[in-house]
Amino acid sequence: MFFQQLLALCNPLYFTVIFFCTILGIIFGAIPGLTGGMAVSLMLPLTFGMDTGLAFTMMISTWVGGISGGFIAATLVGIPGCPSSIATCFDAYPMSQKGDTVRALGIGILASFTGTFLSCIVAVFLSPYIADFAMKLGPWDYFSLCFCAISLVAALSKGSIFKGMFAAFLGLFLSTVGVAPIDGAYRYTFGNVYLSGGLDMVALMLGFYAVEEIAVNFAKGQQDMPEVKVGSISGFGVKIADIIKNLGIIIKSFLIGLWIGFLPGMGSGLSNMVAYAQAKAGSKHPETFGKGESGGIWASETSNNASVGGALIPMVALGIPGDAVTALLLSGLMIHGLQPGPLLISSNPQLVYLMFAVVMLSAIVILIEQFFGMRWFPMLLKISYHYLYGVILVLCLIGAFTSTNTLFNILCVLVFAAVGVVLEIFNIPSSPLILSFILGHTVEEYFRKGVSYARGDYSRFFTRPISLIFIIIAVICIFYPYIKSLFKKKEAGNVSTN
């Protein structure tokens, strides 16, 4: 099935879409302040009337291009194009300043390809087994799984656990607006007919991913790019000896990125930092990191791209987004009338394997595009921000209107963007809010089904082994920071008394 879908992508239309969408993703990933997630959110409203396969080909190839392109600005000007390339700055930019720009770019290109391609292979083989296991779960287990995912994201997001949980509860509350999933009761509509169908997912995504980022970047004055000083860019720059030397770092970083990508809501923004720290800690010469060490680039770029395949596994097999962009893809499935979850592989195997095939082919196309387009990378960083911001804002408003054909949805985008700015001011993460909003309907539906099937017996959530395991993991995630701080205080007290 996978190879059939891979051959189907050789269709001129699909291949052309992948070619241009990967370039679009690279551009959005390379320019600081723009991200691949923003590009996918802009593309989401454009796919409403499209064939489902073509729609996901566009979004996934743009996403892969966005993650792969993030290292360009990190290498050339020392500013990460997106959060997934923060650690890349530590060594790629110093290497570029030393005159090894081509080598730094070449390592970034090859590491990105390695992480994406190999993680996709793992996802192809693992997803069906995880889906088969998930088919044996009941509503109690699904509720606990979703609750665990939301708690994990809230606990591991930036800021305090209180801020993460607040964002999660806010997302759950927003998901309750409209008609209840079981009894059909209207909630929090205040007599407004536009709210009877619930808050539009496209409006929320555009507000938080695009308009909010534009507002924050504009407020921070991020409108002028430093001068790009590079010599003649030609050749590939990567030697086989460099790959062999860093093979251990590549394997370890790949596994780190794959695992963190699998964790709900984590994604490449965290994996590149963890992999870089592990590479530095395990090096025989850690003092070279931060001064142009090739191992630092391999670690960051391999891990952040390995998160692509890792994030696809829970989205396809469990219906839970592995990162922010798979949350957009999950909403795309719902918009096209598909039910995410373990039944997706059995009911729509062509679409699932098409997604995997698109990731794999996109990785190959991006490898070729970046190696042969390397000399034009500096030109991407000379695009004026005031042109970009204006175009993106207009596209957001058009997309919001297209979603529901109402001006009320445009107002929703602006309100969500304003909420996003307030959250940014108070350092409250938006990832838990978005994840809980997407899963809110599912959480409530499985909770009410579980209680109904058990005839009002709430103990079923704790007596079923799998459900109990997920609840215990969720509780540990929530209280772990406090337990850890208590142990630290206790150790500090013991040291002071000695």
Side-chain angles (χ1 to χ4, degrees), residues 49 234 406:
S234 61
T406 62

Side-chain angles (χ1 to χ4, degrees), residues 39 49 96 134 179 182 265 269 282-283 289 298 333 335 339 343 354 360 418 437:
S96 177
V179 180
I182 301 296
S283 174
F289 280 73
W298 281 109
L333 286 172
I335 290 170
Q339 181 61 44
L343 286 174
L354 177 71
M360 190 169 290
F437 178 82

Side-chain angles (χ1 to χ4, degrees), residues 457-471:
D457 183 9
Y458 293 89
S459 64
R460 282 287 189 92
F461 292 99
F462 304 96
T463 55
R464 291 177 64 91
I466 296 177
S467 177
L468 180 61
I469 289 173
F470 285 132
I471 291 176

